[in-house]
Amino acid sequence: MSIGTLSSGSDYSDLQVVEGKDFAPEQYGVAIRKDSTETLKKLNEAMQKVADDGTLDKIGKKYNLDSLLILKSK
């Protein structure tokens, strides 16, 4: 979902995963303010936690994206 499609007050309750469709590959990232060192630290810790506990690998395998993961378990 691109930032251009987000709007305040929307609950997106009708979103769904589309199975069996081939979409063009896309890369995603997380953006924070340049001087947000504490936020960056918390974000990195949270991402490492889901990598370490196996959640990231499970999500990657479920959606056949495991070969694209950059953040790996320690």
Side-chain angles (χ1 to χ4, degrees):
M1 173 179 285
S2 73
I3 198 163
T5 62
L6 300 175
S7 63
S8 65
S10 298
D11 67 4
Y12 303 105
S13 60
D14 58 347
L15 292 180
Q16 55 186 295
V17 174
V18 178
E19 302 282 347
K21 298 282 185 183
D22 290 326
F23 296 99
E26 296 183 38
Q27 293 182 354
Y28 295 90
V30 177
I32 61 172
R33 293 184 187 275
K34 187 176 181 177
D35 297 330
S36 299
T37 54
E38 190 60 31
T39 301
L40 178 60
K41 180 181 174 187
K42 289 179 182 181
L43 176 62
N44 285 336
E45 288 171 355
M47 292 176 70
Q48 191 62 58
K49 182 178 177 183
V50 296
D52 291 345
D53 73 8
T55 302
L56 188 61
D57 289 328
K58 287 178 187 175
I59 294 169
K61 286 177 182 158
K62 179 177 180 178
Y63 295 103
N64 199 28
L65 300 171
D66 48 323
S67 65
L68 302 175
L69 295 177
I70 296 171
L71 183 64
K72 297 288 185 180
S73 301
K74 287 182 181 177

